[in-house]
Amino acid sequence: MTAQAAFRALADPTRRDILMMLAHQDMTIAEVAENFDMTRAAVKKHLSVLSDGNLITVRPEGRARINTLNPQGLKQVFDWFGYFDAFWDDRLSRLRASIEKDMQ
Amino acid sequence: MTAQAAFRALADPTRRDILMMLAHQDMTIAEVAENFDMTRAAVKKHLSVLSDGNLITVRPEGRARINTLNPQGLKQVFDWFGYFDAFWDDRLSRLRASIEKDMQ
DNA sequence: TTGACATGATACCATAAGGTTTCATATATA
DNA sequence: TATATATGAAACCTTATGGTATCATGTCAA
């Protein structure tokens, strides 16, 4: 329920790279793995962590699994930043509120 | 130079809690430690990680060290989110750009 | 149905990470 | 100057984490 899983997932550079790739297009595990110098199993683990953090969703398509970027997880992290609004100024605070409202 | 250290620092819940405390007021190491059920040494380690991620700054004041929230680190993470603007819509994208500009 | 293909899952390994304990150092203050 | 205070730092322990290798399972195609 908390954003912990999302923050945890974002801590690894490989996982952040995967998210950037998925921002361009959905990909199967094998397709994602092609972009890294590590085994498919390792990539699969990263995808599981990303899934745990609600940063991606996975839908089966035949024998393949299509990984898709999920804004929910990103939103959780984005929301957390809201706590620091007071640290910035009121105007930014209002803009953030507006963005959050629309992202739901 | 990258945001890796900041993301890494944010991955731990204790460190995120520390940041929230510092958003309210600057604190010495001992003061931060009072709020957690762990040794001062452990808290000091967390503060070092936060400092590595540019999420806090530390200024000596006599024999004490005052820890202060540093928006730079938060901005690095916030900036990273910019990559996903296209994933949201144009209006949100513009709002984000506006926020980022002002946060510099 | 048989084999190739895409993924799931488990066991195992080395290193990173979060904590503690202990001792050293710097700075107020009586 | 002596002593208490606030922090720095190193050594050590346990668990989490990122990877690999290996084998099982499900699905497509001939």
Side-chain angles (χ1 to χ4, degrees):
Chain A
M1 280 299 103
T2 64
Q4 175 54 30
F7 274 108
R8 199 269 232 188
L10 290 174
D12 186 272
T14 296
R15 288 193 288 265
R16 290 200 303 280
D17 284 344
I18 292 177
L19 288 181
M20 294 206 215
M21 292 177 193
L22 295 180
H24 286 68
Q25 60 180 325
D26 293 356
M27 285 193 244
T28 64
I29 297 180
E31 284 170 344
V32 173
E34 279 172 17
N35 295 280
F36 296 95
D37 186 26
M38 65 179 76
T39 63
R40 182 187 49 69
V43 169
K44 154 68 176 162
K45 275 194 187 181
H46 281 305
L47 289 170
S48 295
V49 174
L50 286 170
S51 180
D52 289 344
N54 291 307
L55 288 160
I56 66 171
T57 54
V58 188
R59 73 169 183 280
E61 196 170 293
R63 59 188 161 186
R65 299 297 146 77
I66 314 295
N67 299 276
T68 306
L69 189 61
N70 178 11
Q72 239 182 277
L74 289 173
K75 185 183 183 307
Q76 289 184 69
V77 177
F78 201 83
D79 283 354
W80 184 83
F81 277 66
Y83 195 86
F84 300 93
D85 278 353
F87 197 78
W88 303 330
D89 67 39
D90 282 336
R91 176 154 157 278
L92 295 183
S93 183
R94 283 195 300 278
L95 283 172
R96 265 203 75 276
S98 169
I99 286 181
E100 292 218 310
K101 181 164 168 292
D102 287 13
M103 279 177 71
Q104 282 166 0
Chain B
M1 281 299 103
T2 65
Q4 175 54 29
F7 274 108
R8 198 269 229 186
L10 289 175
D12 184 272
T14 296
R15 288 193 288 264
R16 290 200 303 281
D17 284 344
I18 292 176
L19 289 181
M20 294 207 213
M21 293 177 195
L22 295 180
H24 288 69
Q25 59 181 326
D26 293 357
M27 286 192 246
T28 64
I29 298 180
E31 284 170 343
V32 173
E34 279 173 16
N35 295 280
F36 296 96
D37 187 26
M38 65 180 74
T39 63
R40 181 188 49 70
V43 170
K44 153 68 175 163
K45 275 194 186 179
H46 281 305
L47 289 170
S48 294
V49 174
L50 287 169
S51 179
D52 288 345
N54 290 308
L55 290 161
I56 66 171
T57 55
V58 187
R59 74 169 184 281
E61 196 170 292
R63 60 187 161 187
R65 297 291 188 291
I66 312 295
N67 297 277
T68 307
L69 189 61
N70 179 10
Q72 241 182 276
L74 289 173
K75 183 183 183 309
Q76 288 184 70
V77 177
F78 201 83
D79 283 353
W80 184 82
F81 277 66
Y83 195 86
F84 301 93
D85 278 353
F87 197 77
W88 302 330
D89 66 39
D90 282 335
R91 178 154 158 277
L92 295 183
S93 184
R94 282 195 300 278
L95 284 173
R96 265 203 75 277
S98 169
I99 287 183
E100 293 217 310
K101 182 163 168 293
D102 287 14
M103 280 177 70
Q104 283 165 0

